[in-house]
Amino acid sequence: MSDIDKIGPRGEAIALRYLEQIGYKILARNFRYQKGEIDIIATDDTFLIIVEVKSRSYPNYGAPEASIGPTKTELLALAAGFYQELHDIRLEIRFDVVSIIFRKGKKAELTHIREAFHG
């Protein structure tokens, strides 16, 4: 696996630890439905939280979260609705983004965007 291929899983691991530290209860990781995949599904007892993790080794082409377009948000919303029905979860769905930038020789920069978009 090349260094580029390791950025995504590394970012997801950092995001997972961060979310657990702030009190999110992790329900699932890498949940797939049709063509969509949810990186992390969690709850804070108020919301079913769908978390998209975006990692980059440098922000030269914009913030990592800027790469989430309408097709991705639609696929996330469909997968979230399916997961909610499948597990009979009666919480409102919220979509968060955790953005991580790995700058060479520096600590990873994490940004958590709550209610990043609506599904």
Side-chain angles (χ1 to χ4, degrees):
M1 192 181 282
S2 72
D3 286 344
I4 276 236
D5 295 330
K6 294 176 187 173
I7 289 173
R10 189 170 154 213
E12 285 184 25
I14 290 169
L16 186 70
R17 281 193 308 272
Y18 163 78
L19 295 170
E20 288 174 329
Q21 286 173 355
I22 64 168
Y24 284 26
K25 178 182 173 196
I26 306 304
L27 302 177
R29 292 180 67 191
N30 304 102
F31 177 79
R32 293 180 181 274
Y33 175 70
Q34 294 181 357
K35 293 182 180 181
E37 180 183 354
I38 301 172
D39 294 328
I40 300 170
I41 301 174
T43 184
D44 63 0
D45 295 325
T46 303
F47 293 97
L48 177 64
I49 306 165
I50 306 305
V51 183
E52 177 67 8
V53 180
K54 287 295 182 186
S55 303
R56 299 283 181 267
S57 57
Y58 49 85
N60 295 9
Y61 300 105
E65 65 273 12
S67 68
I68 302 170
T71 301
K72 180 65 174 179
T73 59
E74 185 177 318
L75 290 171
L76 286 171
L78 284 171
F82 180 76
Y83 184 90
Q84 185 180 38
E85 255 186 62
L86 183 66
H87 296 280
D88 194 30
I89 297 172
R90 306 255 186 242
L91 298 172
E92 185 178 345
I93 297 173
R94 187 178 86 203
F95 295 91
D96 288 8
V97 172
V98 173
S99 166
I100 300 173
I101 298 174
F102 297 103
R103 295 182 196 271
K104 191 169 184 131
K106 295 186 178 180
K107 185 178 176 184
E109 299 170 23
L110 183 146
T111 303
H112 181 190
I113 306 164
R114 288 175 172 85
E115 298 182 49
F117 54 89
H118 298 280

